């Protein structure tokens, strides 16, 4: 790829499309998803040049060009907080508008007045969907002491039933991790937790020598000193933390640089409103493990990002407000 083509093409596209042409560089690990999306765009009748796809192994070079090129009016990025910080710095010289959907460290809280069976269903959805590889996956499961053992027993029973393998095979619920680095991270989090007193209730290891399949895993006796309670695992690992007090668990849930998604289960409406307002997250799922929708604003606070995707709020992030004041008419 020649970076100069971005510069030369952007001017022509801006004139032809009113400044609304799009250039997408997909993640190196998942290029075919973007290719399929652009094939559908062509099938739907998008004019040539309105949407443009760049495949490149040197993502940093593409990012620099898009951030520094004055013809690009806005950058939208989904990925790690580390890369988001870099892109924001690179856009700062031009005060370029950015939308950033970055990392998460989602708490999943179960209070003692919760419907435990519903909470277990929600935990399976929020933690193990896509093998735990979503930015809104539950990363820390806090369970109040009065229902801790019941919840753990039921979650372990459900997790043991999850089949791992090729996602196209009938009955398979957990596919592979994205790459070797993801495997290494989940193994390091488990080793750190066990070394500091954590217990493996189920799972805990790779499946086979080939590929990147990992057993869905539940850990208990987790403390805030463990890496799994501080860092986003991005894999099928559910660490369960026992708690006593509602104020305590909200403080611990908020004690992170991230603020993308949070979940909690409770039935007392007074508690529901108090906890929902106290959690410092852009999205809060209450008595549900799935809250994403094209009609809802998707995004976080703190170092989980800037702006929103989805809903009218997501559209507004791609627009500029213009005020016209006319006199003498």
């Amino acid at each position: 790829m020649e970076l100069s083509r971005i510069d030369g093409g952007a001017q022509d596209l801006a004139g032809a499309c009113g400044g609304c042409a799009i250039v997408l560089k997909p993640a190196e690990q998942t290029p075919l998803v973007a290719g399929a999306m652009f094939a559908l765009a062509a099938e739907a009748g998008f004019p040539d040049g309105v949407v443009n796809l760049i495949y490149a192994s040197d993502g940093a070079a593409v990012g620099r060009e898009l951030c520094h090129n004055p013809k690009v009016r806005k950058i939208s990025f989904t990925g790690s907080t580390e890369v988001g910080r870099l892109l924001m710095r690179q856009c700062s010289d031009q005060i370029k508008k950015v939308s950033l959907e970055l990392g998460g460290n989602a708490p999943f809280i179960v209070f003692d007045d919760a419907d435990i069976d519903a909470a277990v269903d929600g935990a399976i959805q929020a933690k193990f969907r896509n093998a735990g590889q979503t930015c809104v996956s539950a990363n820390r499961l806090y369970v109040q002491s009065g229902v801790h053992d019941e919840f753990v027993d039921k979650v372990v029973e459900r997790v043991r039933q999850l089949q791992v393998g090729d996602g196209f095979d009938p009955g398979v619920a957990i596919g592979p991790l994205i790459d070797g680095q993801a495997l290494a991270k989940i193994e390091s989090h488990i080793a750190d937790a066990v070394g500091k007193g954590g217990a493996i209730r189920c799972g805990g290891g790779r499946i086979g020598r080939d590929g990147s399949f990992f057993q869905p895993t539940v850990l208990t006796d987790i403390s805030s000193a463990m890496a799994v309670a501080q860092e986003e695992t991005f894999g099928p690992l559910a660490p369960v933390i026992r708690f006593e007090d509602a104020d305590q668990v909200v403080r611990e849930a908020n004690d992170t640089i991230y603020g993308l998604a949070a979940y909690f289960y409770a039935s007392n409406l007074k508690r529901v409103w108090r906890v929902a307002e106290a959690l410092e997250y852009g999205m809060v799922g209450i008595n549900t493990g799935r809250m994403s929708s094209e009609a809802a604003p998707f995004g976080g606070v703190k170092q989980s990002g800037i702006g929103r995707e989805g809903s009218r709020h997501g559209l507004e992030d791609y627009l500029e407000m213009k005020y016209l004041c006319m006199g003498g008419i």
Side-chain angles (χ1 to χ4, degrees), residues 184-225:
K185 186 171 187 179
I186 193 172
E187 288 179 326
S188 71
H189 278 184
I190 292 173
D192 174 78
V194 172
K196 294 176 180 175
I200 299 175
R201 291 294 303 269
C202 66
R206 297 189 186 197
I207 299 176
R209 296 184 177 181
D210 299 324
S212 54
F213 295 95
F214 200 91
Q215 295 173 325
T217 302
V218 177
L219 300 179
T220 56
D221 302 319
I222 300 300
S223 72
S224 59

Side-chain angles (χ1 to χ4, degrees), residues 13-312:
L13 292 172
C17 306
C20 294
I22 295 171
V23 178
L24 172 66
K25 203 288 291 180
E28 290 87 347
Q29 298 98 325
T30 56
L32 297 183
V33 174
M37 182 175 68
F38 273 68
L40 291 174
E43 184 178 330
F46 276 57
D48 291 343
V50 173
V51 292
N52 305 272
L53 179 61
I54 296 175
Y55 287 124
S57 57
D58 189 352
V62 175
R64 283 193 300 272
E65 173 64 22
L66 294 175
C67 289
H68 293 156
N69 194 310
K71 296 182 178 66
V72 177
R73 298 287 299 275
K74 176 185 170 66
I75 294 291
S76 178
F77 172 73
T78 299
S80 71
T81 295
E82 180 183 8
V83 175
R85 292 190 191 106
L86 175 61
L87 294 174
M88 198 170 181
R89 284 195 295 268
Q90 291 179 166
C91 289
S92 64
D93 284 346
Q94 298 180 33
I95 321 296
K96 186 170 294 189
K97 193 171 184 179
V98 296
S99 292
L100 302 173
E101 199 271 282
L102 308 176
N105 189 6
F108 185 102
I109 306 169
V110 181
F111 289 98
D112 54 12
D113 62 330
D115 180 329
I116 299 304
D117 290 331
V120 169
D121 288 341
I124 297 298
Q125 290 179 336
K127 173 68 264 183
F128 295 103
R129 182 171 73 254
N130 200 35
Q133 299 172 112
T134 79
C135 52
V136 295
S137 291
N139 200 61
R140 300 167 288 157
L141 278 65
Y142 295 94
V143 185
Q144 200 157 15
S145 289
V147 295
H148 175 276
D149 293 348
E150 178 187 0
F151 177 86
V152 169
D153 289 344
K154 289 184 174 181
V155 162
V156 168
E157 181 182 359
R158 289 282 300 277
V159 169
R160 284 176 173 158
Q161 297 172 9
L162 296 175
Q163 294 186 40
V164 182
D166 186 333
F168 290 101
D169 291 343
V172 169
I174 303 287
L177 295 179
I178 188 67
D179 56 25
Q181 287 184 328
L183 277 173
K185 186 171 187 179
I186 193 172
E187 288 179 326
S188 71
H189 278 184
I190 292 173
D192 174 78
V194 172
K196 294 176 180 175
I200 299 175
R201 291 294 303 269
C202 66
R206 297 189 186 197
I207 299 176
R209 296 184 177 181
D210 299 324
S212 54
F213 295 95
F214 200 91
Q215 295 173 325
T217 302
V218 177
L219 300 179
T220 56
D221 302 319
I222 300 300
S223 72
S224 59
M226 299 173 184
V228 73
Q230 301 296 327
E231 303 172 9
E232 185 179 29
T233 303
F234 225 68
L237 171 61
V240 182
I241 305 169
R242 185 191 297 265
F243 77 91
E244 303 290 341
D245 178 73
D247 292 335
Q248 166 210 346
V249 76
V250 169
R251 285 194 301 270
E252 292 187 14
N254 288 338
D255 187 20
T256 172
I257 64 171
Y258 302 106
L260 185 59
Y263 308 84
F264 73 90
Y265 277 71
S267 61
N268 182 285
L269 281 179
K270 183 177 180 180
R271 169 177 281 174
V272 165
W273 283 108
R274 185 171 70 248
V275 173
E277 292 180 355
L279 288 170
E280 297 171 353
Y281 291 83
M283 301 177 288
V284 179
I286 304 167
N287 293 327
T288 180
R290 299 192 69 170
M291 57 182 160
S292 299
S293 166
E294 75 285 353
F298 186 101
V301 297
K302 298 193 283 189
Q303 295 190 39
S304 283
I306 297 173
R308 293 295 182 267
E309 299 173 355
S311 78
R312 66 175 180 84

